[in-house]
């Protein structure tokens, strides 16, 4: 604690993030009602990614913590994406 | 906290807060004692698994049934594999030398989470016991091979579930150890020790730990899926229910290929410590070695498919995995060149640790180059599932990781126990082990190329000459190992008192007493220069 | 005698690394999901239609809200208001329990319809449907297990806040429990569209 002041998220900002999350949940549910089939899943996943980003950044406080955490999270998610991609080199091209 | 100078200078082995002797071990959160706990457990299991290996060799002395039937043989090679892989080589160097020397080499008093560290050892023991139970419980020893390939592992009536659970639990221990080391390296380096002033063993442990943390959960969930398939009728890998057995192999090797690097990276780290000390010369290409560890870990994560070339995965997929397999050979070769260059022009002192380390390079080169035979698509088809593969990975795992483990033991033994082993006997044991090793495994390359399949308890008579030579080698190897172990036990009991720095090393581990005190350092050192800086006046 | 390791950043790093392993644990299942969805797109569509999107949405809202309340409890502790923090933790735990009750009825309903692995009705379904339900049970089951672990961590935090071990100067335990709870939420954010919205 001595080294530097800890950032405190305000109640209001947390509430705003929550409302944003609710809105995006609503949108993703409504979009699937329209039945775009594959496309709607893509949109739903895109919205989920934005929601995940918000949770990581604000709720999990990544925006204000040491940069090393942000780097780690980014690399880990990248790694997972690459693993999925490589697996699909097999499944899509078989 | 309030320790006086006097209590500070009691070695960690003499520090006994509990009255009952064993409690000083099993309740100790001292990273050095935990390292020794791992060492002793690993040694015990090593003897068991090596004995099982010897039994297999005896069985193959002659064609047909020699000392056991086919089902027993299936059980023996499975148990040999499970113990060797999950209990010995995966924790292996990282858990023993990582625990003991990582904090010392970076100038810390302990790891970041000492209690968690002890807890991982308990989990490890729990998993190991479970693995042993799987051998003896009713139902018979698992006979799937250590790879647990479906569909057989979903059908076999033997104790596969026990073995799967054991592997799952051992994986959990491995994850916690890796987590601990990453935080330790990030947070507990001595003042002034920037990343590029860190010795190279911690670098390799850092790369290893990330693989442990990021690959092990995948095999964890995969093993759970097999358990679910056996118990809950969830058939992700059962074609009758729409599942895909190849998917199991993907998931399994996403972990188990990086696991090879969990084994070999710390081994590379250990020999990297040895070469500069016994050449009395700074390491050649410090950053190249440090970064190649990270490169091996990163690229090594993406080559899992080279275990699956014959399963019918897509053409591009095979192409991709084969290509990356060749790429990953590059950083390994960089390390080898750097070790050799370190010795070049140095004042070489051919003591046992260096002998073992040179043995490591020799065997690792053979293992690595035959790995390229397996990584190339065309030749892979020919030697797939033959004893060529068996010989290849024994050269890497035993010749590489095992020899580096023994190199590390000979190197750090005086620091760990404060005693010295008999140098002459150590040299003899090295020569016998080295010869025995090659006599045991090299013939397997040849009969493998000729078509001898792996995991068969019987064979055609034309392979007998190879098997006979190999079995003779097994006995020579066992003799060498027993001489070495005997030398260690005698050294630890009544060896000469070792000086603090018998090898004239310059890393932090040689700047403290032998054996180290409880908190390693009286005062946390301040680092002002690169590691491996040998000063001329010290030689005088 | 042994030194205390008092490094909040280090502890948080340990938690993050543990979260990474959890992500990869679920990651294995997501990979399986991706492969089977690519192979059996139609089956996944029709099976997902059997899930109640309303219950799923409700649970999403519950988890998101609980994630916000646990973040707020940290804010409250940092501001020195332990009493408010306790209330936020209680709300979080109640929301978590609501999630589990919902889940219980959802699973129970599926079992009433005899939609579970190995049942006769399941075996008559197409392969895509069988795999979808297998994944549904395994992923939501594993997730529910993590909800329970998260609740236990939150309860411990509750008592630590109450007796003052967690306070405005030293709140890493609550922060780490919060991180774990957000992980549970994070995974659900991806489970929800993949399970309920692929109709």
């Amino acid at each position: 604690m001595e080294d530097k002041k800890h950032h405190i998220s305000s109640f209001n900002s947390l509430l705003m993030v929550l409302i944003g999350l609710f809105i995006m949940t609503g949108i993703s549910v409504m979009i699937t009602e329209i039945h775009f089939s594959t496309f709607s899943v893509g949109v739903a996943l895109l919205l989920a990614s934005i929601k995940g980003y918000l949770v990581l950044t604000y709720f999990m406080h990544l925006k204000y913590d040491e940069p090393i955490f942000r780097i780690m999270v980014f690399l880990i998610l990248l790694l997972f994406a690459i693993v999925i991609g490589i697996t699909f080199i097999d499944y899509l091209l078989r | 906290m309030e320790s006086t100078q006097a209590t500070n200078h009691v070695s960690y082995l003499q520090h006994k807060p509990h009255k009952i002797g064993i409690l000083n071990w099993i309740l100790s959160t001292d990273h050095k004692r935990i390292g020794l706990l791992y060492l002793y457990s690993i040694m015990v299991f090593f003897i068991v698994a090596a004995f099982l290996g010897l039994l297999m060799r005896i069985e193959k002395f002659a064609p047909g049934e020699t000392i056991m039937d086919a089902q027993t043989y299936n059980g023996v090679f499975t148990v040999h594999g499970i113990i060797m892989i999950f209990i010995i080589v995966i924790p292996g160097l990282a858990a023993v030398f990582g625990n003991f020397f990582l904090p010392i080499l970076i100038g810390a008093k302990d790891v970041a989470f000492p209690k968690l560290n002890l807890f991982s050892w308990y989990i490890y023991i729990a998993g190991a016991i479970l693995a042993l139970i799987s051998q003896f419980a009713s139902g018979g020893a698992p006979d799937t091979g250590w790879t647990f390939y479906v569909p057989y592992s979903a059908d076999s009536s033997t104790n596969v579930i026990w073995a799967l659970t054991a592997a799952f639990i051992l994986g959990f221990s491995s994850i916690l150890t890796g987590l601990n080391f990453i935080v330790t390296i990030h947070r507990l380096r001595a003042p002034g020790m920037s990343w590029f002033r860190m010795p190279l063993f911690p670098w390799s442990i850092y790369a290893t730990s990330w693989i442990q943390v990021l690959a092990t959960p995948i095999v964890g969930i995969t093993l759970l899926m097999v358990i679910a398939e056996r118990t809950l009728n969830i058939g992700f890998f059962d074609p009758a229910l729409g599942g895909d057995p190849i998917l199991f192999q993907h998931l399994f090797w996403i972990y188990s290929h990086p696991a090879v690097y969990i084994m070999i990276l710390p081994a590379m780290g250990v020999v990297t410590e040895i070469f500069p000390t016994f050449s009395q010369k700074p390491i050649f290409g410090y950053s190249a070695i440090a970064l190649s560890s990270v490169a091996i870990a990163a690229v090594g994560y993406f080559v899992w498919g080279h275990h699956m070339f014959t399963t019918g995965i897509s053409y591009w997929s095979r192409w991709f995995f084969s290509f990356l397999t060749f790429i990953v050979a590059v950083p390994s070769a960089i390390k080898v060149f750097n070790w050799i260059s370190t010795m070049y022009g140095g004042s070489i002192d051919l003591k046992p640790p260096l002998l073992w380390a040179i043995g490591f390079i020799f065997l690792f080169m053979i293992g690595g180059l035959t790995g390229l035979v397996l990584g190339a698509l065309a030749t892979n088809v020919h030697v797939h599932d033959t004893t060529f593969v068996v010989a290849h990975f024994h050269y890497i795992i035993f010749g590489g990781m095992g020899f580096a483990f023994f190199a590390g033991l000979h190197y750090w033994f005086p620091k760990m126990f404060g005693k010295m082993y008999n140098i002459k006997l150590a040299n003899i044991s090295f020569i016998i082990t080295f010869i025995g090793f090659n006599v045991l495994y090299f013939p397997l390359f040849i009969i493998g190329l000729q078509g001898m399949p792996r995991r068969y308890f019987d064979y055609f008579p034309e392979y007998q000459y190879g098997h006979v030579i190999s079995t003779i080698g097994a006995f020579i190897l066992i003799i060498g190992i027993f001489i070495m172990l005997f030398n260690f036990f005698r050294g630890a009991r009544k060896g000469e008192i070792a000086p603090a720095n018998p090898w004239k090393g310059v890393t932090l581990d040689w700047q403290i007493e032998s054996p180290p005190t409880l908190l390693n350092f009286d005062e946390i050192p301040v680092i002002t220069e690169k590691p491996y800086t040998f000063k001329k006046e010290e030689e005088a | 005698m042994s030194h205390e390791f008092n490094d909040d950043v280090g502890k948080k790093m340990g938690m993050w690394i543990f979260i990474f392993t959890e992500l990869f644990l679920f990651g294995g299942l997501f990979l399986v999901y991706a492969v089977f969805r690519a192979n059996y797109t139609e089956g996944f569509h029709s099976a997902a239609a059997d899930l109640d999107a309303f219950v799923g949405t409700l649970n999403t809202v519950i988890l998101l809200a609980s994630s916000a309340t646990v973040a707020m409890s940290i804010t409250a502790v940092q501001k020195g208001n332990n009493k408010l923090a306790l209330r936020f933790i209680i709300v979080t735990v109640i929301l978590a329990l609501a999630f589990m009750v919902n889940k219980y009825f959802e699973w129970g309903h599926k079992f009433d319809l005899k939609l579970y692995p190995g049942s006769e009705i399941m075996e008559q379904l197409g392969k895509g449907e069988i795999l979808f339900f297998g994944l549904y049970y395994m992923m939501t089951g594993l997730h529910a297990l993590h909800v329970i672990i998260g609740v236990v961590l939150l309860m411990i935090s509750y008592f630590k806040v109450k007796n003052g071990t967690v306070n405005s100067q030293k709140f890493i335990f609550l922060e780490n429990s919060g991180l774990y709870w957000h992980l549970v939420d994070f995974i659900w954010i991806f489970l929800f569209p993949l399970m309920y919205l692929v109709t």
Side-chain angles (χ1 to χ4, degrees):
Chain A
M1 279 315 295
E2 293 84 52
D3 44 356
K4 69 174 181 211
K5 212 177 151 299
H6 200 285
H7 173 270
I8 300 178
S9 319
S10 72
F11 290 119
N12 272 338
S13 66
L14 292 173
L15 198 64
M16 293 308 288
V17 174
L18 180 62
I19 291 170
L21 289 170
F22 281 162
I23 291 172
M24 269 180 282
T25 310
I27 296 175
S28 58
V29 173
M30 278 190 297
I31 279 185
T32 42
E33 298 287 304
I34 323 176
H35 293 292
F36 281 146
S37 88
T38 324
F39 176 70
S40 66
V41 179
V43 175
L45 271 182
L46 183 71
L47 283 166
S49 305
I50 300 173
K51 281 160 76 182
Y53 175 79
L54 285 178
V55 169
L56 286 171
T57 315
Y58 294 100
F59 285 176
M60 296 173 99
H61 222 253
L62 275 184
K63 189 174 177 189
Y64 310 104
D65 275 336
E66 276 72 6
I68 184 78
F69 293 129
R70 243 168 296 159
I71 298 169
M72 282 182 180
V73 172
F74 173 74
L75 289 178
I76 263 78
L77 295 177
L78 181 70
L79 174 67
F80 183 63
I82 296 175
V83 168
I84 293 217
I86 294 179
T87 312
F88 271 85
I89 297 179
D90 175 17
Y91 278 95
L92 288 183
L93 301 174
R94 215 181 252 180
Chain B
M1 290 302 267
E2 292 296 309
S3 47
T4 62
Q5 256 336 66
T7 53
N8 244 343
H9 278 270
V10 171
S11 97
Y12 78 101
L13 287 169
Q14 282 153 358
H15 176 81
K16 289 173 183 160
H18 301 280
K19 282 215 177 68
I20 307 165
I22 186 115
L23 289 184
N24 289 317
W25 289 98
I26 60 174
L27 293 181
S28 168
T29 55
D30 179 12
H31 66 101
K32 300 180 282 299
R33 282 189 183 248
I34 294 172
L36 290 189
L37 282 175
Y38 275 111
L39 176 65
Y40 298 145
S41 351
I42 283 174
M43 278 299 165
V44 169
F45 282 103
F46 177 71
I47 291 168
V48 172
F51 180 68
L52 290 172
L54 187 65
L55 287 182
M56 279 192 276
R57 282 309 338 156
I58 297 173
E59 163 58 36
K60 289 201 175 174
F61 193 75
E65 189 174 318
T66 316
I67 55 166
M68 59 179 101
D69 59 21
Q71 182 59 23
T72 317
Y73 185 81
N74 292 343
V76 169
F77 78 67
T78 304
V79 177
H80 171 82
I82 291 174
I83 295 183
M84 282 292 189
I85 297 285
F86 290 110
I87 302 184
I88 295 164
V89 294
I90 286 181
L93 281 149
V96 177
F97 298 130
N99 261 317
F100 203 109
F101 287 104
L102 172 69
I104 296 178
L105 281 169
I106 62 172
K109 291 181 170 175
D110 207 325
V111 291
F113 308 112
K115 282 179 198 151
L116 187 69
N117 200 12
L118 182 64
F119 182 59
S120 342
W121 181 75
Y122 276 106
I123 300 179
Y124 165 78
I125 288 296
I129 290 172
L130 214 52
L132 277 187
I133 291 176
S134 79
Q135 316 313 317
F136 301 113
S138 63
D143 56 353
T144 59
W146 76 275
T147 47
F148 301 117
Y149 270 13
V150 289
Y152 185 62
S153 63
D155 292 336
S156 167
S157 62
T158 54
N159 300 325
V160 180
I161 290 188
W162 288 92
L164 290 168
T165 318
F168 181 82
I169 291 174
L170 288 164
F172 198 56
S173 157
S174 176
I175 287 173
L176 292 181
T177 306
L179 185 159
N180 217 335
F181 287 168
I182 295 175
V183 179
T184 308
I185 292 174
H186 267 279
R187 305 295 305 170
L188 293 185
R189 276 172 289 136
M193 183 177 278
S194 58
W195 282 91
F196 286 94
R197 280 184 191 163
M198 194 162 73
L200 288 160
F201 180 61
W203 264 104
S204 69
I205 290 285
Y206 185 70
T208 310
S209 301
W210 273 112
I211 313 179
Q212 284 178 302
V213 164
L214 297 178
T216 319
I218 303 261
V219 83
I221 194 70
T222 311
L223 300 179
L224 280 186
M225 282 188 254
V226 178
I227 294 176
E229 179 150 349
R230 288 181 67 100
T231 53
L232 302 174
N233 293 309
I234 294 179
F236 296 146
F237 308 129
D238 179 0
L241 297 173
D244 180 4
I246 305 294
L247 186 58
F248 171 87
Q249 295 192 19
H250 272 297
L251 289 164
F252 182 82
W253 289 113
I254 288 176
Y255 165 72
S256 296
H257 192 76
V260 175
Y261 298 102
I262 296 179
M263 305 164 195
I264 201 70
L265 275 170
M268 292 167 159
V270 168
V271 298
T272 313
E273 294 296 321
I274 290 173
F275 284 114
T277 303
F278 290 92
S279 313
Q280 290 291 305
K281 204 173 145 246
I283 188 83
F284 184 90
Y286 170 90
S287 346
I289 297 186
L291 295 178
S292 66
S293 292
V294 179
I296 290 175
V299 183
Y301 205 99
F302 306 126
V303 298
W304 72 82
H306 67 210
H307 296 267
M308 304 161 59
F309 285 155
T310 58
T311 55
I313 57 173
S314 76
Y315 168 75
W316 285 108
S317 182
R318 272 177 285 163
W319 184 91
F320 175 86
F321 285 124
S322 179
F323 178 74
L324 275 195
T325 305
F326 279 82
I327 295 289
V328 84
V330 174
S332 312
I334 288 177
K335 281 178 188 281
V336 172
F337 290 132
N338 281 324
W339 294 324
I340 309 249
S341 312
T342 304
M343 287 197 288
Y344 178 78
S347 46
I348 291 175
D349 187 8
L350 210 56
K351 289 272 165 49
L354 188 63
L355 273 180
W356 284 96
I358 292 172
F360 162 88
I361 293 194
F362 184 83
L363 302 175
F364 178 72
M365 289 300 294
I366 296 179
L369 292 172
T370 51
L372 293 180
V373 175
L374 290 160
L377 290 174
T379 44
N380 175 279
V381 176
H382 179 67
V383 291
H384 180 81
D385 263 356
T386 63
T387 56
F388 189 89
V389 180
V390 177
H392 156 71
F393 71 70
H394 278 90
Y395 265 87
I396 292 286
I397 296 178
F398 192 176
M401 181 273 171
F403 271 55
F405 190 92
F406 299 143
L409 265 182
H410 283 92
Y411 181 52
W412 278 315
F413 185 87
K415 180 59 66 186
M416 294 164 95
F417 297 96
K419 301 269 183 66
M420 198 46 140
Y421 49 83
N422 183 324
I423 301 264
K424 205 177 252 174
L425 199 56
N427 289 339
I428 293 171
S429 74
F430 167 75
I431 291 166
I432 297 177
T433 312
F434 187 78
I435 293 171
F437 180 91
N438 285 295
V439 175
L440 165 54
Y441 293 112
F442 205 83
L444 298 183
F445 279 129
I446 296 162
I447 55 174
L449 276 175
Q450 291 167 343
M452 171 71 211
R454 69 189 282 204
R455 291 180 170 172
Y456 278 29
F457 102 119
D458 193 6
Y459 51 85
F460 290 121
E462 59 257 43
Y463 301 121
Q464 192 177 7
Y465 72 94
H467 282 300
V468 169
I469 296 173
S470 179
T471 306
I472 293 168
F475 281 100
I476 302 175
L477 180 64
I478 288 271
I479 291 168
I481 286 173
F482 269 100
I483 294 176
M484 181 190 69
L485 290 179
F486 166 76
N487 193 14
F488 280 140
F489 279 113
R490 205 181 58 170
R493 289 178 68 87
K494 42 188 179 184
E496 289 169 43
I497 302 290
N501 190 358
W503 317 122
K504 303 201 196 82
V506 288
T507 37
L508 282 175
D509 44 346
W510 301 111
Q511 313 309 316
I512 57 175
E513 291 156 58
S514 294
T517 54
L518 180 64
L519 295 180
N520 304 337
F521 302 97
D522 296 338
E523 234 172 85
I524 295 295
V526 177
I527 312 297
T528 53
E529 54 196 348
K530 287 206 154 243
Y532 315 113
T533 313
F534 287 86
K535 296 202 175 63
K536 279 276 177 275
E537 56 268 25
E538 274 184 14
E539 287 176 27
Chain C
M1 48 146 273
S2 86
H3 68 292
E4 241 344 275
F5 177 65
N6 250 334
D7 174 10
D8 286 354
V9 178
K11 284 180 182 165
K12 198 184 252 183
M13 187 180 282
M15 193 63 198
W16 268 109
I17 295 169
F18 190 69
I19 285 175
F20 298 154
T21 71
E22 296 277 22
L23 283 177
F24 271 79
L25 191 74
F26 279 94
L29 283 169
F30 278 112
L31 181 61
V32 173
Y33 179 97
V35 167
F36 287 146
R37 200 191 116 77
N39 284 357
Y40 301 99
T41 315
E42 283 314 307
F44 270 48
H45 273 251
S46 62
D50 287 346
L51 295 187
D52 192 340
F54 175 74
V55 180
T57 314
L58 184 64
N59 262 350
T60 308
V61 170
I62 289 176
L63 265 196
L64 289 174
S66 75
S67 218
T69 53
V70 82
M72 287 175 180
S73 80
I74 296 169
T75 302
V77 161
Q78 287 169 333
K79 288 185 171 169
N81 193 342
N82 274 22
K83 225 170 213 162
L84 187 61
L86 288 177
R87 275 190 210 136
F88 276 126
I89 298 177
I90 290 180
V91 174
T92 313
V93 171
I94 290 174
L95 287 170
L97 294 180
F99 176 90
M100 290 303 286
V101 169
N102 244 338
K103 192 97 263 168
Y104 171 79
F105 281 115
E106 201 189 354
W107 274 41
H109 184 61
K110 289 273 160 326
F111 273 74
D112 288 343
L113 295 175
K114 300 250 184 302
L115 276 173
Y116 53 86
S119 75
E120 286 138 38
I121 291 183
M122 269 284 257
E123 269 160 19
Q124 282 152 18
L125 293 172
K127 287 176 174 171
E129 279 96 335
I130 298 178
L131 289 170
F132 181 86
F133 280 110
L135 278 165
Y136 165 76
Y137 281 109
M138 194 127 177
M139 291 176 102
T140 57
L142 194 65
H143 181 262
L145 183 70
H146 283 76
V147 172
I148 293 169
I149 298 171
V151 167
V152 171
L153 280 177
L154 288 171
M155 304 279 254
I156 299 173
S157 310
Y158 177 87
F159 289 108
K160 289 203 169 209
V161 175
K162 198 165 189 188
N163 69 19
T165 359
V166 169
N167 53 48
S168 64
Q169 296 306 311
K170 215 172 162 311
F171 42 79
I172 185 67
F173 189 88
L174 182 61
E175 259 190 313
N176 275 350
S177 313
L179 279 180
Y180 194 85
W181 189 251
H182 296 310
L183 162 79
V184 171
D185 187 28
F186 184 80
I187 290 167
W188 183 259
I189 284 176
F190 288 92
L191 272 184
F192 168 62
L194 292 177
M195 286 295 159
Y196 296 88
L197 300 183
V198 287
T199 48

